């Protein structure tokens, strides 16, 4: 009969240490790798945001025009000046730094392939001076907008805009939006302060 040794806690602990030691080394190595990749991801994300801000800043004097058919040998600067005159905006070719068609994105190409209509690429135009194009408001809303501009300056509001003929005000980028339909709305807004 063979004698069996009693298994002690120390013996079990030694066996487990021997078997688990390489696994723990691997896990610690993986933790270090995950930490390294996480830091690199944070760096890439930060750089991506910085790049986006630079790209957006470079477009500050640009507009995009959609829906114009593309023609062979088109002169986009002349086309932009013509569009400006149709909108009662005085433009000269010297006001245009550059204009060109934008390449279509993959999603635009896929949509075009699915639809019967062949849509033209958008035109981007960079101006040499500030150009303001406003939504066409009715005479009443135009006067209301002037009142809103004065209110914005007097009450230190930061945001004013129009959308579909309606006028909106906001104190700052995190405050609630207020639709202004009549002058009385400005009086109510003033009393909320």
């Amino acid at each position: 009969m063979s004698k069996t040794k009693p298994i002690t806690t120390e013996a079990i602990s030694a066996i487990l240490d021997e078997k688990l030691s390489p696994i723990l080394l691997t896990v610690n190595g993986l933790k270090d790798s995950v930490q390294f990749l996480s830091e690199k991801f944070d760096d890439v994300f930060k750089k991506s945001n910085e790049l986006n801000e630079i790209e957006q800043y470079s477009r500050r004097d640009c507009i995009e025009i959609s829906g114009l058919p593309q023609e062979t040998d088109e002169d986009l600067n002349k086309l932009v000046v013509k569009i400006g005159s149709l909108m009662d905006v005085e433009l000269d070719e010297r006001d245009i730094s550059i204009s060109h068609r934008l390449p279509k994105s993959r999603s635009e190409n896929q949509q075009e392939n699915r639809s019967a209509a062949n849509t033209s690429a958008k035109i981007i135009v960079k101006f040499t001076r500030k150009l303001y194009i406003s939504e066409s408001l009715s005479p009443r809303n135009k006067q209301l907008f002037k009142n809103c501009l004065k209110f914005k300056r007097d009450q230190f509001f930061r945001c004013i805009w129009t959308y579909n003929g309606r006028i909106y005000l906001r104190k700052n980028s995190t405050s609630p939006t207020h639709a202004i339909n009549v002058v009385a709305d400005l009086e109510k807004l003033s009393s909320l302060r």
Side-chain angles (χ1 to χ4, degrees), residues 69-132:
Q70 194 162 347
E71 297 178 12
T72 310
D73 298 327
E74 63 189 356
D75 184 338
L76 293 177
N77 286 358
K78 285 184 179 165
L79 182 61
V80 170
V81 169
K82 185 176 180 181
I83 291 169
S85 71
L86 292 172
M87 298 170 58
D88 290 329
V89 175
E90 271 189 54
L91 279 179
D92 186 282
E93 284 194 48
R94 292 176 302 214
D95 296 324
I96 300 170
S97 174
I98 190 169
S99 64
H100 60 86
R101 296 264 179 189
L102 291 171
K104 291 183 181 180
S105 67
R106 276 192 216 143
S107 64
E108 288 173 321
N109 281 330
Q110 288 170 350
Q111 280 180 318
E112 185 176 304
N113 291 338
R114 285 194 296 260
S115 71
N118 186 358
T119 57
S120 297
K122 293 177 183 176
I123 300 168
I124 189 165
V125 184
K126 182 170 182 70
F127 292 96
T128 58
R129 65 181 173 96
K130 287 285 185 197
L131 180 70
Y132 298 96

Side-chain angles (χ1 to χ4, degrees), residues 41-55:
F41 177 80
D42 290 344
D43 289 345
V44 168
F45 186 75
K46 183 180 175 187
K47 295 290 184 202
S48 172
N49 285 341
E50 290 171 1
L51 181 61
N52 181 59
E53 287 177 22
I54 291 167
E55 185 178 7

